[in-house]
Amino acid sequence: HRDPYRWSTEDIHLAAEMAERTWATVENARAQVELREANQRKDEFLAMLAHELRNPLAPISAAAEVMQSNPDPELVQRTSQVIGRQVRHMTGLVDDLLDVSRVTRGLVKLNKRPLEIREIIDHAVEQVRPLLEARGHRLLLEPALQAALVSGDENRLVQVIANLLNNAAKYTPHGGEIRVMTELRDHDVLVSVHDNGIGIPPELQPRVFDLFSQAERTSDRAQGGLGLGLALVRSLAELHGGAVSCYSEGPDKGSRFIVRLPRLVQPAGGPADEQ
Ligand code: ADP
């Protein structure tokens, strides 16, 4: 209308109906795109999984052939070590798969008790130390000034921090610096893992914790696993009533992962209370 127009109740009704339908269509389209993307990630994951599971088979079968044709004890010893190593690698992949499916379906029961976060970090560092050393990284630990207690499952929380440290070590070029900081808030304990590595492109950041999410693989990303680690980290942090977030200013600017867990405050003389 060129001139001012008084909308009738019917007009308004019609406009509202149109808006609602348009909105529903947009939502529907968006959901479909998300579904298609998730499906594509799953397809890519299956292809990669097949690849990762097939890789160890070649050295295993070559080793078996060598052992059959040459019974020299020293050679048998060496080739059986190859088999052992490859089988351990495959077992690790399959264990990760089973674990992620249990955790993300909520089938994991936490064995919770009061824990000092410092000890969790120390255990995680012990697990990752061989990789840190192999890659020549410097590790800096900045603990909280006071006791930082949380209520949690020790093995699972060690797994959370170890996964983040493992990624920091993998995705940082040789000779990098990794920092683990603990901060206390009124109701939370924050543990952050910083690295000065390859960083995370902005488009990956919103879905870095999704199952099967990974940055593009290049030859220097040969260290990449199955894309399950951060999905596990998020599920486990949430099972503890916490959360996890990630920050990176982009490629080659390093990354920072922060785990937030509800803090336990120990009342004088009494047992700890969850905040
Ligand atoms: P994986 O390491 O097995 O690929 P994750 O779920 O642990 O799977 O990580 C998902 C992806 O997030 C990685 O493939 C990598 O692209 C990116 N990423 C994780 N941690 C870091 C980090 N510290 N620095 C850079 N990229 C990272």
Side-chain angles (χ1 to χ4, degrees), residues 163-164 167-172 195 197-201 204 208-210 212-217 221 223-231 254-257:
N163 263 330
L164 294 179
N167 278 350
K170 278 196 306 188
Y171 299 118
T172 299
D195 64 57
I198 65 168
I200 301 175
L204 181 65
V208 79
F209 296 103
D210 292 353
F212 318 138
S213 261
Q214 296 187 310
E216 287 290 313
R217 280 182 177 233
R221 280 202 67 256
Q223 299 277 354
L226 293 175
L228 307 176
L230 288 181
S255 312
R256 180 156 57 109
F257 285 82

Side-chain angles (χ1 to χ4, degrees), residues 149-165:
L149 280 180
V150 297
S151 163
D153 183 307
E154 182 170 5
N155 292 337
R156 293 303 190 170
L157 288 183
V158 169
Q159 190 180 7
V160 165
I161 306 296
N163 263 330
L164 294 179
L165 278 171

Side-chain angles (χ1 to χ4, degrees), residues 186-207:
D186 285 348
H187 301 294
D188 296 311
V189 176
L190 304 180
V191 181
S192 52
V193 178
H194 303 231
D195 64 57
N196 58 354
I198 65 168
I200 301 175
E203 65 277 9
L204 181 65
Q205 286 177 31
R207 49 182 182 84

